[in-house]
């Protein structure tokens, strides 16, 4: 009998590595979050160009999503997969390459984002060399994971593994297609998609990054660690199967709800809304399944911090997945879009669901991985309460901020004019809530520090040499193979077929949603008066991207009266056909800029960029005095224009005669003379500010000229 | 100039979306039927205990596959 058994050991060293990385990057990501939260309340915290809000905000999101949640998923995945499959990971070398490769990616992100290298697409900001690195490391992870499945000694794939499989496959597809771009330089590229198509691709990716990086992997973790911690099988395995397939079928369609009332075709928006609302059902099925796993074990929740964290995590999942479908309903979205409500929504998910699930999982793992008792259960309890209280403060404050600003934007007075025509009024109203948010986030981080202390002290008490138990299990081929009566059971016995089916569901859905916008002309009517940016404006646009202006300013006016009153004619799909990448934005910390061109004189913009508070006293925008001294890279402009032309932007002479730099210089010279004549600083003809202002002055102009729409004069406070 | 978009918009692909919808629905209904059909209970229970197979002493139930 024993002769037919394999003997092997689990690789827990790799799990320990990922665990430590989870904590370290989690702390870094959260500290950056706290810092940028404070920058909104105290703009003088924007101390240097590489520490401005626009450059740090993507660092925060990338750090918490890919570094914190990513490493947390890998921790749990490596621990649980080996045990569920009764096999050591396929290759120790691949495990190490995965670990160190992923950390290298994170470090590259932490360096390049503050330096202003960004693709300007949310959660896909990292530039093309890092994108290639991510793809390679992801493939390494996939080979390692599927290799382990191939040599498994447990025929049936437990439901947690399906969630891992779906996540691994889908993230690969999303990452590759959203990041397709043409390099312009070593750390600069232009998306191959433009305008509406780029927006559609981005939010197909963006929403599914939430779905397949922050939801399905963590559901897999929930389905393994929750039963383990409660010492009870999952409440309903049946429900977990239905949960899985419904999520895989539906999630991929939901992305367009991020683009309601934008220039996206309405059918896509409606499709996204319908699927998002339907998603409520399977999500709550999963939540109920998680909570009911604790049936008969509720008394343990009182004394066990692990279960406490899990209960709040699953509850937060339930709240976020109720709110998500609600926010995807167009009329609710009209109020919430561009406001802090969305920020509150993601933080319920990130702090509550991902954070708490990670904390619970790690507290459960610590004694097992370091083979000693958890240093302090009391500290873990304290961590739980601090994190819970911090999260509530954060959520209450930022929900209020979102509702407040959303309602103020749309308020009209009795004469039918905007009640708060000055954008800054709506910003000032949020200040108290921004402070409460900072306190809430601070508490959460203090909890994180206690967490770190507990990890450190538990680690310190580890044995000199880890005990590595030898596991024995029969290889699959000698296990009696009974024919499976049910079709679904037979699929799962064939991981390859199962994976292909999952991939197929995801790809088919994606194609049906995306292809029409690319290939059916009537979806994006062209506008004859819309012309490409001049070479100088293009250089300015790249500065707008470098500084991350899109993090706070949208360029997408929705067709509502309160929007057109405030910003001008609503945005048309045909207006952004040359925008590689699109810059519609998703949050208005400052006003929309889609029709900024021509609203103010050039000099106003120069002064405003130099010191925003000299123009608008209470402005919370970072100052950019450096733009007045740094010089435009005229030599690099030709290459940029050439790549744009390669992507189909009709640049004519600028490309065929190689005149881009010459044209840019001529335009800059003319603008600089104008600025000097208005009484501004002289000698700006080769300074970056000129390119940026040229871009800002172009925004929205093509349509204005064509239709002759009358526009409102600059608000009184905007005068010089 | 003849563009790809002209070809695609005139090739009548719209029907495929409906076909895909029906296929997806059928697969989903199949999954649901296969999990709720009588007789699946024992297997599902066994599957739900897989996480406990690695530590025989702590397993909440003695029933195990293979």
């Amino acid at each position: 009998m024993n002769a037919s058994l394999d003997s092997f050991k689990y690789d827990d060293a790799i799990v320990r590595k990922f665990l430590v990385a989870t904590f370290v990057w989690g702390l870094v990501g959260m500290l950056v979050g706290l810092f940028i939260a404070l920058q909104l309340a105290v703009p003088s915290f924007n101390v240097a160009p590489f520490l401005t809000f626009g450059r740090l905000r993507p660092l925060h999101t990338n750090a918490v999503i890919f570094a914190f949640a990513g490493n947390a998923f890998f921790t749990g995945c490596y621990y649980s997969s080996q045990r569920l499959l009764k096999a050591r990971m396929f290759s120790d070398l691949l495990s190490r390459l995965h670990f160190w490769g992923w950390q290298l990616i994170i470090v590259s992100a932490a360096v390049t984002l503050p330096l202003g290298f960004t693709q300007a697409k949310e959660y896909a900001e990292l530039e093309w060399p890092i994108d290639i690195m991510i793809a390679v490391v992801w493939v390494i992870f996939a080979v390692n994971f599927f290799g382990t499945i191939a040599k498994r000694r447990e025929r049936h794939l437990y439901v947690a593994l399906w969630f891992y499989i779906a996540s691994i496959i889908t993230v690969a597809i999303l990452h590759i297609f959203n990041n397709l771009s043409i390099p312009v330089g070593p750390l600069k590229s232009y998306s191959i998609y433009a305008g509406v198509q780029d927006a559609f691709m981005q939010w197909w990716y963006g929403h599914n990054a939430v779905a397949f990086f922050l939801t399905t992997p963590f559901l897999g973790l929930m389905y393994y660690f929750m039963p383990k911690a409660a010492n009870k099988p999952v409440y309903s395995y049946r429900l977990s199967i239905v949960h899985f397939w419904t999520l895989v079928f539906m999630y991929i369609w939901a992305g367009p709800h991020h683009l309601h009332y934008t220039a996206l075709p309405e059918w896509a928006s409606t499709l996204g809304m319908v699927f998002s609302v339907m998603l409520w059902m399977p999500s709550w099925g999963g939540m109920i399944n998680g909570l009911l796993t604790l049936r008969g074990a509720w008394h343990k929740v009182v004394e066990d911090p692990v279960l406490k964290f899990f209960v709040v995590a699953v509850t937060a999942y339930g709240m976020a997945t109720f709110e998500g479908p609600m926010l995807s309903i167009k009329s609710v979205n009209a109020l919430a879009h561009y406001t802090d409500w969305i920020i509150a929504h993601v933080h319920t998910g990130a702090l509550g669901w991902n954070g708490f699930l990670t904390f619970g999982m790690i507290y459960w793992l610590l004694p097992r991985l370091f083979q000693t008792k958890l240093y302090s259960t009391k500290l873990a309890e304290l961590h739980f309460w601090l994190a819970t209280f911090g999260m509530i403060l954060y959520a209450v404050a930022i929900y209020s901020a979102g509702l407040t600003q959303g309602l103020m934007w749309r308020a009209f007075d009795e004469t039918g004019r905007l009640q708060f025509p000055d954008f800054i009024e709506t910003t000032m109203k949020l200040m108290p809530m921004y402070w409460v948010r900072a306190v809430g986030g601070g508490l959460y981080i203090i909890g994180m520090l206690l967490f770190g202390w507990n990890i450190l002290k538990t680690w310190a008490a580890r044995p000199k040499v880890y005990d590595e138990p030898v596991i024995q299990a029969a290889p699959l081929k000698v296990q009696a193979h009974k024919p499976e009566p049910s079709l679904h059971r037979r699929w799962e016995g064939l991981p390859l077929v199962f994976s292909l089916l999952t991939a197929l569901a995801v790809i088919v859905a994606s194609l049906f949603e995306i292809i029409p916008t690319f290939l059916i002309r009537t979806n994006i009517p062209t506008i004859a008066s819309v012309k490409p940016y001049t070479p100088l404006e293009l250089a300015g646009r790249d500065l707008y991207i470098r500084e991350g202006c899109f993090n706070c300013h949208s360029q997408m006016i929705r067709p509502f009266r309160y929007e057109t009153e405030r910003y001008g004619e609503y945005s048309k799909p045909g207006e952004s056909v040359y925008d590689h990448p699109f810059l519609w934005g998703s949050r208005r910390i400052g006003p929309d800029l889609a029709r900024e061109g021509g609203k103010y004189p050039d000099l106003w913009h120069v002064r405003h960029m130099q010191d925003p508070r000299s123009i608008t006293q209470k402005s919370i925008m970072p100052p950019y005095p450096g733009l007045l001294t740094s010089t435009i890279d005229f030599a690099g402009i030709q290459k940029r224009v050439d790549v744009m032309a390669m992507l189909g932007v009709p640049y004519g002479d600028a490309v065929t005669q190689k005149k881009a730099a010459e044209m840019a210089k001529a335009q800059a010279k003319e603008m600089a003379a104008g600025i000097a004549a208005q009484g501004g600083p002289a000698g700006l003809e080769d300074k970056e500010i000129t390119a940026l202002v040229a871009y800002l002055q172009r925004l929205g102009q093509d349509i204005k000229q064509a239709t002759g729409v009358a526009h409102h004069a600059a608000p009184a406070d905007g005068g010089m | 100039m003849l563009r790809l978009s002209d070809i695609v918009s005139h090739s009548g692909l719209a029907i495929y979306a409906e076909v895909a919808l029906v296929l997806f629905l059928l697969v989903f209904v199949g999954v649901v039927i296969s999990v709720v059909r009588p007789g699946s209970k024992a297997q599902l229970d066994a599957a739900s205990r897989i996480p406990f197979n690695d530590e025989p002493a702590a397993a909440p139930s003695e029933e195990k596959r293979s």
Side-chain angles (χ1 to χ4, degrees), chain A residues 228 238 485-486 512 519 521, chain B residues 3 5 35 37 43 51 55:
Chain A
K228 288 298 269 187
R238 208 171 254 165
S486 126
F512 275 111
L519 298 177
R521 267 190 178 181
Chain B
R3 299 189 358 167
S5 59
V35 294
R37 118 203 108 72
Q43 290 168 6
E55 35 188 293

Side-chain angles (χ1 to χ4, degrees), chain A residues 208-286:
Chain A
N208 289 303
V210 176
F212 289 92
F213 208 91
L214 297 176
T215 308
T216 52
F218 282 77
L219 286 170
L221 300 180
M222 174 188 94
Y223 277 120
Y224 180 80
F225 288 97
M226 194 113 169
K228 288 298 269 187
N231 203 24
K232 278 175 176 300
V234 61
Y235 168 66
S236 165
Y237 199 73
R238 208 171 254 165
L239 185 55
S240 72
I241 295 176
V242 179
H243 182 200
F244 174 81
W245 283 107
T246 357
L247 285 190
V248 167
F249 281 144
M250 287 184 189
Y251 243 128
I252 209 81
W253 299 85
H257 68 220
H258 289 259
L259 297 166
H260 282 334
Y261 297 113
T262 65
L264 190 77
E266 192 156 4
W267 65 264
S269 181
T270 304
L271 186 73
M273 173 176 92
V274 170
F275 272 88
S276 308
V277 170
M278 290 198 295
L279 265 173
W280 178 23
M281 242 191 297
S283 302
W284 271 39

Side-chain angles (χ1 to χ4, degrees), chain A residues 667-691:
Chain A
Q667 191 187 354
K669 195 169 175 193
E670 192 185 325
M671 280 186 62
I675 293 168
Q678 288 164 26
L684 292 183
E685 61 274 359
D686 62 344
K687 299 294 180 271
E688 287 186 334
I689 184 76
T690 310

Side-chain angles (χ1 to χ4, degrees), chain A residues 361-414:
Chain A
M361 176 184 87
I362 289 184
Y363 280 121
W364 185 84
L365 281 171
L366 281 174
R368 287 163 178 85
L369 290 174
F370 295 113
Q371 299 174 2
T372 178
K373 272 181 53 186
L374 178 67
Y375 168 67
S376 166
T377 310
K378 275 229 171 72
L379 270 185
E381 286 274 335
L382 185 58
H383 175 197
F384 170 80
W385 288 110
L386 279 172
T388 305
F389 196 56
M391 182 169 68
I392 292 171
L393 274 186
Y394 187 112
V396 170
I398 294 306
Y399 279 114
S400 321
L403 279 169
T404 304
Q405 202 173 28
L407 291 171
M408 286 177 89
W409 285 342
R410 56 164 65 189
F412 286 105
D413 64 16
E414 57 279 9

Side-chain angles (χ1 to χ4, degrees), chain A residues 133 350 703:
Chain A
M133 211 150 66
I703 285 250

